[in-house]
Amino acid sequence: MTNVVQAPLAAPPLIAIDALTRVYRMGGEEVRALDGVSLQVATGELVAIVGQSGSGKSTLMNLLGCLDTPTSGSYRLAGIPVEQLDADDLAEVRGRLIGFVFQSFHLLPRQSALENVTLPLVYRRGDVVPRKERLRRAESALELVGLKDRMQHRPAELSGGQRQRVAIARALVHEPSVVLADEPTGNLDSRTTDEILTLLVDLNTRLGRTVLVITHEPEVARRCNRVIQLKDGRVIRDGPPTS
């Protein structure tokens, strides 16, 4: 009997969207913000989603982040058919599988860095994380982003780069499957931009985190391994960054 060696099965993609469309109605006019986008993202990728204003990249981010639902098409995140979920289930998926980093940080001004980082665990649906465990995880996340000595500082006592590091720690504290960073360097100077990008690249390469960066800045996209370019709601390029 001949022994047959089978190749290992490829892991399913973390993100799989097919013919995804989002249509808005403004008065009597129909606006196709996203027009039949199909793509896949594997676990551990570092991807930039780029495009000019009106290209559809913010709409795509909202759909990938389960902040909005598509008009048509399918979206599977870690095998979950997202387009079939109701509002409560979408909230649970966001809380468990997605970490968000925003341009404007969105930190609570009266809370310390440590308290801000615990928030995804405080509001987590379905199970309760004890306070002692929340603080332990938040401390570990802040140490990971280089803010061990700033845990008790409030946002006003931190620089812009430090505030974004707090936001990144907050995105990581619940160990999400994917981090969505929406213009994460938009409010930072060039030196601090480089520091934050280096941190995101390190999280991807050293920890294997899947990171999607939504940006209009070419220098940001060049730090990623793959660039998806949108125009008029469609993918016009998907490949490695260009010089």
Side-chain angles (χ1 to χ4, degrees):
M1 183 176 180
T2 303
N3 291 325
V4 178
V5 178
Q6 293 183 336
L9 296 176
L14 176 62
I15 291 171
I17 64 177
D18 183 47
L20 210 63
T21 299
R22 185 65 172 96
V23 177
Y24 298 98
R25 295 193 178 277
M26 302 178 65
E29 184 179 356
E30 182 178 278
V31 178
R32 300 180 74 83
L34 215 61
D35 191 9
V37 169
S38 299
L39 59 87
Q40 295 184 351
V41 176
T43 298
E45 284 199 82
L46 174 58
V47 182
I49 298 175
V50 305
Q52 299 300 315
S53 178
S55 64
K57 64 182 188 297
S58 294
T59 300
L60 179 58
M61 200 243 15
N62 287 337
L63 293 175
L64 292 175
C66 300
L67 298 168
D68 194 10
T69 54
T71 304
S72 63
S74 66
Y75 170 27
R76 287 185 175 268
L77 175 60
I80 300 170
V82 173
E83 79 282 356
Q84 299 177 17
L85 303 182
D86 60 21
D88 288 341
D89 289 336
L90 285 172
E92 183 168 354
V93 168
R94 283 196 304 271
R96 290 182 176 276
L97 300 184
I98 303 170
F100 292 96
V101 180
F102 297 103
Q103 177 177 344
S104 299
F105 317 134
H106 295 317
L107 302 177
L108 298 182
R110 296 185 179 182
Q111 303 295 314
S112 68
L114 185 65
E115 291 166 328
N116 268 283
V117 173
T118 64
L119 291 178
L121 301 175
V122 172
Y123 296 112
R124 184 166 178 166
R125 298 169 63 90
D127 60 347
V128 176
V129 180
R131 184 175 185 275
K132 186 175 181 180
E133 176 64 11
R134 294 199 304 265
L135 292 174
R136 185 194 69 79
R137 292 192 198 181
E139 288 173 359
S140 296
L142 283 165
E143 187 171 355
L144 185 66
V145 300
L147 289 180
K148 183 179 180 179
D149 59 344
R150 294 289 188 271
M151 294 187 185
Q152 298 305 326
H153 288 61
R154 294 182 179 182
E157 301 170 319
L158 301 172
S159 68
Q162 289 171 336
R163 278 177 273 174
Q164 193 59 293
R165 286 175 181 267
V166 174
I168 292 171
R170 181 183 58 195
L172 295 172
V173 72
H174 59 298
E175 299 183 348
S177 298
V178 60
V179 173
L180 293 180
D182 186 16
E183 301 284 2
T185 61
N187 284 340
L188 305 176
D189 59 37
S190 58
R191 180 183 63 82
T192 310
T193 290
D194 185 68
E195 292 175 357
I196 294 301
L197 289 175
T198 298
L199 174 59
L200 290 173
V201 170
D202 184 60
L203 293 172
N204 171 257
T205 56
R206 185 163 59 90
L207 299 181
R209 295 290 183 186
T210 306
V211 181
L212 273 62
V213 181
I214 291 81
T215 183
H216 67 279
E217 301 178 70
E219 61 270 24
V220 173
R222 282 193 289 268
R223 296 290 296 273
C224 299
N225 304 123
R226 174 183 171 194
V227 177
I228 297 171
Q229 184 176 0
L230 297 178
K231 182 178 180 181
D232 298 330
R234 298 179 180 180
V235 175
I236 62 170
R237 181 180 178 273
D238 185 349
T242 57
S243 58

